[in-house]
Amino acid sequence: MNKTTKSLADFIVKSPTAFHAVDVMKSRLEKEGFTELLENKEWELKKGGKYFVKRNDSSIISFKLPKAEYKGFYIIASHSDSPAFKIKENPEMEAAGAYVTLNVEKYGGMLCAPWFDRPLSVAGRVLVKTGNKNDISAESRLVNIDKDLVMIPSLAIHMNREANDGYKYNAQKDLIPIFGDEKSKDGFMKAVAEAAGTKVENIVSHDLFLYNRVAPTVWGAADEYVSAGRLDDLECAFGSFEGFLGAENKSNVIMHVVFDNEEVGSSTKQGAASTFLKDTLLRINEGFKRNTEQYLMSLAESFMVSADNAHAIHPNYTEKADPVNRPVMNKGVVIKYNANQKYTTDATSAAVCKLVCDKAKVPYQTFTNRSDVAGGSTLGNISGNQVAIPTVDIGMAQLAMHSPYETAGVADLDYLIKFSKTFYSSDIAVR
Ligand code: CO
């Protein structure tokens, strides 16, 4: 594994959930001299300062202010969440008098089959009671039961001879993981409490998810592919973050934005449809003692890159791709187009993106769905409803999107970092 791929792999392993991804970025930002801003406290911004703000501990915006007055906001946005199974309330269930299983439900639109027959574990956050008996006070704590803990076993072929002829998974029957044998009763929340460094009775509530334990790996004839969980969209979050940290901002506020809940439509208080970005922009505007007109002027000078991974052409299903616009891994930034504007790219924003790629010496390619396929959506057009600025949708090409073990191109990570750094460090004049 080369150095950048290793850093991405470390980031992914340390980020089993959106909460962890945000926490890893927070630590890095603090190390790099960024100051945390709290949404419930006044902000004192200084020109040339570096700051970050979190919402729900699962979305994070970091930004660097220029030393002089700024023109606009240059933003790269990605998402922290990935499809997974969420642990339901009262999770333990008894099965066959011989097992304790966990009651889970789907978060996002995942491929189900690859969750079977592999070690899984549990991570997320718990709210731990603080203060005295009648105080309404609790604090959030990250949890990662960092061991092979649960498994969703397949049914043997002998008991379903049609298993290889296509199968419709029932989320309440087929996808229930085993936690332990009958002696493990009442042990699940104990394991969670232990990982959180507290007692079961102190845990008031939880947001916990299953995650895949298979370690990231590099493979292929020339080590050209990297496989890992959550490449969608931690590859974009990580690559744009590296570019952001390495960039110099001359006349713009540069911002790295990571939203939660993209996989479930973004309509949460911390999602791309929320006011999180807008509120942050308004507070920066206030901090510079600018009026409303100046705010609107700065938006008109701004640009956003919505970065979420793209589908590489699949060797076994070439008929699923557009006849012409078929991205491949290790061939650079994928610019995504959709006539119905599920992707925000238009001629203007594509021009910006292509010119940034040229300047960065990063190749680019294009993605469109086949005209008879609906395709997915992402965060750019959703965020645009709160903060309307020119936006391009990009991603890095990958296979097996929404599997718990996805595949991308090793070279593309470096391309993304170079692209991001160049974007943040440039002045854009495309009208
Ligand atoms: Co995504």
Side-chain angles (χ1 to χ4, degrees):
M1 239 184 238
N2 68 30
K3 206 174 146 226
T4 10
T5 311
K6 176 84 172 65
S7 310
L8 171 64
D10 287 346
F11 176 56
I12 286 173
V13 168
K14 286 183 192 148
S15 305
T17 70
F19 303 111
H20 293 81
V22 165
D23 192 58
V24 174
M25 285 186 269
K26 174 190 150 95
S27 304
R28 177 79 189 275
L29 288 163
E30 282 170 344
K31 239 180 245 159
E32 301 266 347
F34 283 70
T35 305
E36 179 165 15
L37 302 166
L38 300 174
E39 287 201 285
N40 64 347
K41 293 273 153 57
E42 276 185 43
W43 293 6
E44 276 180 44
L45 303 178
K46 292 197 180 75
K47 284 178 183 159
K50 304 191 281 185
Y51 304 93
F52 71 93
V53 54
K54 299 187 292 176
R55 186 175 280 187
N56 190 50
D57 290 332
S58 61
S59 293
I60 186 165
I61 297 178
S62 34
F63 56 93
K64 295 189 200 174
L65 301 171
K67 294 202 177 75
E69 283 294 320
Y70 61 87
K71 282 200 286 190
F73 303 100
Y74 283 18
I75 303 164
I76 303 184
S78 55
H79 65 90
S80 54
D81 62 323
S82 306
F85 291 93
K86 185 158 197 243
I87 308 278
K88 290 160 89 170
E89 298 300 307
N90 305 306
E92 285 191 12
M93 301 189 291
E94 181 274 336
Y99 302 102
V100 173
T101 58
L102 296 180
N103 197 8
V104 297
E105 62 183 319
K106 286 180 186 174
Y107 172 88
M110 79 272 283
L111 285 167
C112 293
W115 283 86
F116 283 80
D117 306 325
R118 58 177 62 210
L120 308 172
S121 193
V122 172
R125 68 164 172 195
V126 292
L127 270 289
V128 177
K129 175 99 177 74
T130 54
N132 296 319
K133 191 163 177 286
N134 287 325
D135 291 346
I136 303 176
S137 72
E139 64 174 29
S140 179
R141 252 187 234 178
L142 284 178
V143 180
N144 180 6
I145 306 179
D146 192 8
K147 59 167 263 188
D148 298 347
L149 184 74
V150 305
M151 184 88 69
I152 308 172
S154 292
L155 179 66
I157 186 77
H158 316 79
M159 293 175 187
N160 178 14
R161 292 283 177 192
E162 287 83 49
N164 295 325
D165 304 334
Y167 190 81
K168 193 175 180 339
Y169 297 100
N170 179 316
Q172 194 63 65
K173 176 174 175 61
D174 299 304
L175 300 166
I176 300 297
I178 295 175
F179 168 61
D181 65 17
E182 75 283 2
K183 294 192 288 297
S184 60
K185 191 174 179 311
D186 297 327
F188 178 67
M189 284 312 293
K190 271 187 210 148
V192 171
E194 195 179 312
T198 187
K199 293 197 185 108
V200 176
E201 54 269 29
N202 297 333
I203 295 182
V204 191
S205 56
H206 55 79
D207 289 314
L208 298 169
F209 297 86
L210 300 186
Y211 70 92
N212 173 24
R213 293 278 297 170
V214 178
T217 191
V218 163
W219 57 280
D223 291 336
E224 62 268 55
Y225 304 121
V226 54
S227 294
R230 307 177 292 286
L231 285 170
D232 170 17
D233 190 27
L234 294 186
E235 181 183 11
C236 283
F238 176 83
S240 56
F241 193 48
E242 290 299 317
F244 168 77
L245 293 173
E248 233 180 278
N249 52 327
K250 293 161 202 153
S251 45
N252 297 292
V253 177
I254 63 170
M255 309 182 79
H256 183 257
V257 177
V258 186
F259 288 119
D260 191 8
N261 302 126
E262 191 277 338
E263 300 295 357
V264 293
S266 297
S267 300
T268 59
K269 65 188 182 301
Q270 61 276 356
S274 78
T275 57
F276 186 30
L277 176 60
K278 183 183 179 179
D279 294 346
T280 305
L281 298 182
L282 284 170
R283 290 177 85 155
I284 295 171
N285 190 69
E286 286 283 315
F288 275 72
K289 309 250 178 320
R290 293 181 170 215
N291 62 28
T292 306
E293 182 174 35
Q294 287 170 311
Y295 174 67
L296 296 172
M297 284 162 61
S298 66
L299 289 191
E301 288 282 351
S302 298
F303 193 83
M304 188 195 287
V305 176
S306 161
D308 194 0
N309 268 358
H311 300 294
I313 188 159
H314 194 301
N316 304 346
Y317 307 94
T318 53
E319 74 282 4
K320 292 286 182 188
D322 182 77
V324 180
N325 301 292
R326 339 178 109 190
V328 287
M329 291 179 283
N330 294 314
K331 294 281 166 67
V333 167
V334 179
I335 307 174
K336 306 180 192 177
Y337 294 79
N338 175 256
N340 296 312
Q341 290 294 292
K342 277 187 182 169
Y343 301 131
T344 53
T345 312
D346 58 18
T348 311
S349 63
V352 173
C353 186
K354 290 177 183 181
L355 294 170
V356 170
C357 284
D358 287 344
K359 185 179 170 193
K361 299 191 172 60
V362 167
Y364 58 83
Q365 41 189 345
T366 54
F367 174 84
T368 65
N369 285 299
R370 274 181 65 99
S371 303
D372 52 3
V373 169
S377 66
T378 178
L379 26 92
N381 64 338
I382 294 173
S383 173
N385 289 315
Q386 290 289 347
V387 183
I389 56 180
T391 305
V392 67
D393 265 285
I394 67 151
M396 308 320 286
Q398 70 157 89
L399 293 171
M401 192 177 283
H402 292 192
S403 163
Y405 206 61
E406 303 174 319
T407 292
V410 165
D412 285 329
L413 181 58
D414 288 314
Y415 287 142
L416 176 59
I417 295 169
K418 275 208 293 197
F419 167 84
S420 303
K421 190 174 169 182
T422 304
F423 164 69
Y424 281 128
S425 309
S426 298
D427 268 320
I428 294 167
V430 174
R431 306 276 178 252

